[in-house]
Amino acid sequence: MKKIIIVIALASIAIAACNNNSKQSETTITDNPNQLYACSMHPEVTGKKDSACSKCGMKLTELVKENK
């Protein structure tokens, strides 16, 4: 009985570890250096990652696609 519990516990840990790795790979895949970013106060101002807004100086955040 103890062996079954240990096997189930190890399998659960292995599954949890695999799920964490898949989340990291999704982040890597979606991180595109050519993606445009926009100012949260002035959405018409766009630029590259780590740029600043030309109107207020705030750091640009990811541009969210609008559903039309």
Side-chain angles (χ1 to χ4, degrees):
M1 185 67 172
K2 288 182 182 180
K3 290 181 181 181
I4 294 173
I5 294 173
I6 292 172
V7 169
I8 292 172
L10 291 175
S12 299
I13 292 170
I15 291 171
C18 290
N19 286 340
N20 288 339
N21 288 340
S22 66
K23 288 180 183 177
Q24 290 173 353
S25 64
E26 288 175 10
T27 302
T28 304
I29 291 169
T30 59
D31 190 21
N32 184 355
N34 296 327
Q35 185 174 6
L36 284 179
Y37 292 78
C39 177
S40 58
M41 297 295 293
H42 306 100
E44 69 277 5
V45 177
T46 59
K48 294 183 180 179
K49 185 176 183 179
D50 297 326
S51 297
C53 176
S54 59
K55 292 185 178 182
C56 66
M58 290 178 61
K59 185 175 179 181
L60 301 182
T61 57
E62 282 193 47
L63 183 62
V64 179
K65 292 182 181 178
E66 293 182 16
N67 293 334
K68 293 184 177 181

